[in-house]
Amino acid sequence: MNFKLLPIMMVGLLSFKPMIINDHNGDNNGNGNGKKVTVVTKSSTLKSKDLAAVTKTNLKSNANSNLSTFDKMVLSEYLDLDEKNFAKPELESFKAAFKGYNKLKEEGKIKNEILTIIDFTKSSTERRMWVIDMKSHNVLYQTVVSHGRNSGKEYANDFSNKIESYKSSLGFYTTAETYMGKHGLSLRLDGLEPGINDNARNRDIVIHAADYANENLGKSQGYLGRSLGCPALPNEVAHKIIQLIKDESCLFIYHADKKDYLTKSELLK
């Protein structure tokens, strides 16, 4: 693995524990590029998959540029996530989610410090939803989640804010109150982005449990069952997740290929 980019990316994270890694693109006698790299994180251990994610993505900077203060903060937060028995979200989806989350928190719109990320870039057969405790930096859940039936089959590629479109909507939401509906305990969502997802209430876009949001079913048929636009969850985790994220936490629905949204969203500027 090439660690040349790591010194640049980690400059400025001076308040955390240092860790020494050998850069093997040279010898150990001062010739070539062989040197030791000081990587600074809140944790004393960096996992190889974290380093791979950082090196692969590089937060869209190059080896001759310095990261912004914000990007350093994102990288620190990302590397410090404790995924336990799960996996971390992609670095770019976390970066976008983190930016919007902090803006909403500054505006007083986030009171429950939980960040939920849904990455619709991924196949519906994958566990593409993460629930993260932003205070403890723990990944609490990672699960499959359904998209709207008119957004696509295995992949969600088409999004809408229109009533009866039966499509998912991208962007930032705050979670609201719970209620008992035909799917049992359900959680209302308030879309925060005009023209993108602010019809969520009118469209009855909520988080709920569904038999069709079944990981084994998704693997056997090649795609997860789809909803009318709601991010539906497996029965076995829906109740616990709803209780955890209700009452003004942040939900972010992301897609890496939807540049029109990523460049226009006021919360991502």
Side-chain angles (χ1 to χ4, degrees):
M1 183 179 292
N2 186 348
F3 295 110
K4 286 184 178 180
L5 299 174
L6 285 172
I8 297 167
M9 303 185 73
M10 304 310 293
V11 168
L13 304 178
L14 300 178
S15 60
F16 310 131
K17 297 179 182 179
M19 173 183 176
I20 305 300
I21 299 175
N22 285 318
D23 181 345
H24 295 294
N25 295 320
D27 59 37
N28 292 320
N29 298 313
N31 300 316
N33 295 321
K35 57 182 176 297
K36 288 186 176 181
V37 175
T38 301
V39 176
V40 191
T41 68
K42 293 181 184 177
S43 169
S44 60
T45 304
L46 274 179
K47 298 179 181 179
S48 59
K49 61 184 178 181
D50 294 339
L51 293 174
V54 170
T55 308
K56 176 182 177 182
T57 307
N58 193 26
L59 289 172
K60 295 187 177 179
S61 81
N62 58 60
N64 296 316
S65 65
N66 291 322
L67 289 178
S68 68
T69 300
F70 173 75
D71 282 348
K72 293 171 186 174
M73 184 189 306
V74 171
L75 184 59
S76 171
E77 292 285 334
Y78 183 78
L79 293 177
D80 196 50
L81 287 179
D82 185 354
E83 67 270 43
K84 300 186 182 299
N85 296 321
F86 305 117
K88 293 182 182 182
E90 297 294 333
L91 179 55
E92 283 300 314
S93 65
F94 180 79
K95 177 183 177 182
F98 185 78
K99 178 176 286 188
Y101 171 87
N102 277 282
K103 284 189 177 181
L104 292 171
K105 191 175 177 184
E106 288 174 2
E107 294 171 2
K109 295 179 180 178
I110 300 298
K111 295 181 180 178
N112 180 356
E113 294 182 70
I114 299 290
L115 172 60
T116 301
I117 301 173
I118 296 175
D119 186 353
F120 276 154
T121 318
K122 297 180 177 295
S123 165
S124 62
T125 63
E126 296 183 59
R127 296 180 181 181
R128 55 185 180 169
M129 174 172 162
W130 291 262
V131 179
I132 303 169
D133 186 328
M134 297 299 284
K135 291 189 292 185
S136 68
H137 299 91
N138 290 329
V139 178
L140 304 177
Y141 287 96
Q142 183 187 6
T143 181
V144 295
V145 59
S146 293
H147 58 251
R149 70 185 187 194
N150 287 341
S151 283
K153 194 171 183 180
E154 179 183 354
Y155 291 89
N157 293 307
D158 197 1
F159 302 94
S160 177
N161 191 38
K162 294 181 180 179
I163 295 173
E164 295 186 357
S165 66
Y166 303 141
K167 296 178 181 180
S168 298
S169 300
L170 297 173
F172 287 90
Y173 302 74
T174 51
T175 63
E177 74 277 9
T178 60
Y179 70 97
M180 294 300 296
K182 64 180 181 180
H183 295 288
L185 184 69
S186 302
L187 176 62
R188 296 198 187 278
L189 300 173
D190 288 316
L192 302 177
E193 304 201 64
I196 297 171
N197 61 20
D198 59 340
N199 266 333
R201 282 241 177 201
N202 294 331
R203 296 179 60 206
D204 292 322
I205 301 301
V206 302
I207 295 179
H208 62 77
D211 292 336
Y212 55 77
N214 182 289
E215 187 170 0
N216 291 330
L217 174 65
K219 290 178 179 178
S220 65
Q221 68 182 13
Y223 61 94
L224 202 67
R226 293 160 294 167
S227 68
L228 298 182
C230 298
L233 300 178
N235 290 317
E236 59 269 22
V237 297
H239 189 280
K240 292 179 180 178
I241 289 177
I242 287 171
Q243 293 286 19
L244 180 66
I245 70 175
K246 67 180 182 180
D247 298 331
E248 298 181 75
S249 73
C250 179
L251 167 69
F252 177 55
I253 300 181
Y254 171 86
H255 196 297
D257 297 332
K258 299 303 173 181
K259 304 302 182 185
D260 53 339
Y261 164 72
L262 296 174
T263 56
K264 291 178 181 178
S265 171
E266 292 296 324
L267 289 169
L268 293 179
K269 290 182 180 178

